[in-house]
Amino acid sequence: MSSIAKSYELAREAYAATGVDTDKVIERLAKVAVSLHCWQGDDVFGFESSVGLDGGIQVTGNYPGRARTPEQLRADLEKAFGMIPGKKRLNVHAIYAETNGKKVERNELEPAHFANWIDWAKKEDIGLDFNPSYFSHPNAAEGFTLSHRDNAIRKYWVEHGIACRKIGEAMGKALNNACITNFWIPDGYKDVPADRLAPRMRLKESLDEIFAVNIDKNYNRDAVECKLFGIGSESYVVGSHEFYMGYAVAKQILLCLDAGHFHPTEVISDKISSALLWVPEVLLHVSRGVRWDSDHVVMLTDELRAIAEEIVRGNFMNRVHIGLDFFDASINRIAAWVIGARNMQKALMLAMLEPSETLRKAESCGDYTTRLALIEEAKSMPFSAVWDFYCEKQGVPVGTKWLDEVKTYERDVLLKR
Ligand code: RNT
Ligand code: ZN
């Protein structure tokens, strides 16, 4: 028996003593999909132009090896997928369209421009998620898109939104796996507005026009993402939390909660159970803000664990869609995906290994002493033995072995770009 299997046997016994079946946890975890964001691979450049990112968000760092073509990006993703256990999806932005060198306006994008992504997803046996891109574009240069005071610009972006929902629907249909299409816009003011209402009324109108188009819910579902502030929109963001919470409830669409989009001490873990009382499903953008919405690579923090605990405790696996959203160009980009995604999976496993029934029982009879004691004791249970066994079972590298693979790929592929 390998040492990994031996350690697992001991861990299984230890968890069984707390009423937790580790074999079941492994089975359960393997079914939860994590959607990787394609934009970590190329610093949110996309393939539309070589100008790079603009519009309220920023990537810092200049680590070598950024993917510059769709082929490179897909190769990098394949590499990353091979090091992440469990079910994966891929989250694609509209700026990753493949137009054969032809300039295609964003309001004229079609499913055909994503045919390569769809074929690739079939081959990889994964689902796709999608996003209209309301940034890095001349029509977004003034910091307003769907809430722009110029009707022609607003119309352009409404058409982009509709085009993207159709693309999402085509992706979902082709893969027989519903696509989540998420709307985030950068709209807002750098300085104190004189009128906070008018842009919000225009945003509502634009969204109403976009969502009025009938799209098959079995193949595409829409999400809206709020934000507290952005670069250049420090004083006012049109799509605030209250705006989108209200909108999602009214339209019964998905609410997207990005971990970096609230006040620095505010956490999204606490919002999941509330939101799910009012909206059918939630999309998460799991990220890590450091002092601001800096989109650092996700670490195994208390908040990440709390997010996973909320999903698992509420048995919300079918109503909470887990997407990652960070972009760090100061480290190897494939490592960034692997670290963030493995941490997400680790957090889910830790949550599943919790003695949940005992905890609930203690809580329901007012025994908070036991609740606290058990939560703390759980932290020193042999989690890593279960994790390593899971990785081995899933055919991905155990422990830091993945890092050697990344280094080899960096030397042989990334540094030659
Ligand atoms: C921006 C939002 C948004 C983007 C991606 C690229 O603050 O988080 O989700 O990060 O769509
Ligand atoms: Zn986000």
Side-chain angles (χ1 to χ4, degrees), residues 2 36 50 62 73 100 118 165 266 305 343 375 399 417:
S2 74
L36 268 77
S50 53
N62 55 359
L73 188 54
N100 264 325
I118 293 170
R165 294 181 68 222
E266 198 177 349
R305 294 189 57 177
N343 278 337
I375 285 175
R417 284 181 181 162

Side-chain angles (χ1 to χ4, degrees), residues 282-318:
V282 159
L283 167 66
L284 298 181
H285 271 189
V286 182
S287 189
R288 179 168 58 101
V290 177
R291 303 193 187 279
W292 66 290
D293 179 33
S294 57
D295 290 291
H296 278 65
V297 177
V298 167
M299 290 171 77
L300 188 53
T301 58
D302 286 350
E303 170 57 4
L304 185 70
R305 294 189 57 177
I307 291 170
E309 282 161 9
E310 284 305 307
I311 302 172
V312 170
R313 288 177 186 174
N315 209 5
F316 292 140
M317 270 77 83
N318 293 327

Side-chain angles (χ1 to χ4, degrees), residues 37 39 44 53 55-58 91 93 95-96 131-135 182-186 225-227 229-230 256 258-261 285 287 293 295 324-327:
H37 51 315
W39 51 92
V44 209
L53 185 58
I57 46 178
Q58 204 166 55
N91 197 0
H93 242 285
I95 48 172
Y96 292 81
N131 308 258
S133 308
Y134 289 103
F135 50 82
N182 179 54
F183 285 74
W184 171 74
I185 60 166
E225 180 180 10
C226 79
K227 192 163 176 167
F229 81 93
C256 173
D258 183 309
H261 287 197
H285 271 189
S287 189
D293 179 33
D295 290 291
L324 304 178
D325 185 12
F326 48 78
F327 20 96

Side-chain angles (χ1 to χ4, degrees), residues 83-119:
M83 293 181 269
I84 300 165
K87 219 160 110 182
K88 272 88 65 183
R89 305 174 60 85
L90 182 73
N91 197 0
V92 179
H93 242 285
I95 48 172
Y96 292 81
E98 291 171 72
T99 59
N100 264 325
K102 234 182 64 200
K103 181 161 171 57
V104 177
E105 274 302 334
R106 288 196 200 165
N107 58 346
E108 280 163 6
L109 284 170
E110 285 177 17
H113 301 123
F114 295 87
N116 290 342
W117 284 112
I118 293 170
D119 288 346

Side-chain angles (χ1 to χ4, degrees), residues 132-378:
S133 308
Y134 289 103
F135 50 82
S136 307
H137 190 280
N139 280 351
E142 285 168 13
F144 285 85
T145 61
L146 288 177
S147 71
H148 205 291
R149 57 184 178 274
D150 179 338
N151 262 330
I153 294 185
R154 217 170 58 73
K155 181 166 174 276
Y156 176 87
W157 289 120
V158 165
E159 287 169 3
H160 177 55
I162 294 169
C164 285
R165 294 181 68 222
K166 289 183 181 161
I167 293 164
E169 184 184 43
M171 286 174 165
K173 201 168 193 173
L175 300 168
N176 200 18
N177 191 334
C179 170
I180 309 293
T181 296
N182 179 54
F183 285 74
W184 171 74
I185 60 166
D187 300 30
Y189 285 121
K190 181 185 177 79
D191 227 324
V192 188
D195 184 353
R196 289 175 185 267
L197 178 62
R200 290 189 170 136
M201 286 171 67
R202 288 194 292 266
L203 175 56
K204 178 187 176 295
E205 226 181 281
S206 298
L207 292 172
D208 285 351
E209 287 170 38
I210 292 171
F211 296 128
V213 175
N214 217 0
I215 297 283
D216 192 335
K217 271 195 188 160
N218 293 315
Y219 300 128
N220 179 77
R221 290 208 281 281
D222 308 298
V224 285
E225 180 180 10
C226 79
K227 192 163 176 167
L228 177 65
F229 81 93
I231 297 170
S233 60
E234 288 84 357
S235 302
Y236 168 76
V237 166
V238 183
S240 62
H241 173 61
E242 290 71 15
F243 179 93
Y244 281 128
M245 181 80 203
Y247 196 83
V249 171
K251 294 276 165 168
Q252 286 299 294
I253 58 175
L254 279 70
L255 185 72
C256 173
L257 296 169
D258 183 309
H261 287 197
F262 295 87
H263 282 278
T265 59
E266 198 177 349
V267 286
I268 63 165
S269 51
D270 182 53
K271 300 181 188 299
I272 296 169
S273 54
S274 291
L276 284 175
L277 287 176
W278 309 109
V279 295
E281 292 166 87
V282 159
L283 167 66
L284 298 181
H285 271 189
V286 182
S287 189
R288 179 168 58 101
V290 177
R291 303 193 187 279
W292 66 290
D293 179 33
S294 57
D295 290 291
H296 278 65
V297 177
V298 167
M299 290 171 77
L300 188 53
T301 58
D302 286 350
E303 170 57 4
L304 185 70
R305 294 189 57 177
I307 291 170
E309 282 161 9
E310 284 305 307
I311 302 172
V312 170
R313 288 177 186 174
N315 209 5
F316 292 140
M317 270 77 83
N318 293 327
R319 292 178 66 202
V320 175
H321 304 268
I322 305 171
L324 304 178
D325 185 12
F326 48 78
F327 20 96
D328 189 339
S330 72
I331 61 172
N332 181 297
R333 294 170 184 79
I334 294 163
W337 270 322
V338 176
I339 293 166
R342 280 174 77 116
N343 278 337
M344 186 70 241
Q345 306 254 9
K346 278 184 188 172
L348 287 164
M349 179 179 268
L350 279 162
M352 289 175 182
L353 288 170
E354 211 181 52
S356 51
E357 255 166 62
T358 321
L359 287 174
R360 267 176 209 252
K361 223 180 264 162
E363 185 168 277
S364 66
C365 55
D367 185 0
Y368 308 140
T369 311
T370 298
R371 182 181 65 185
L372 182 61
L374 294 186
I375 285 175
E376 288 309 293
E377 283 303 323

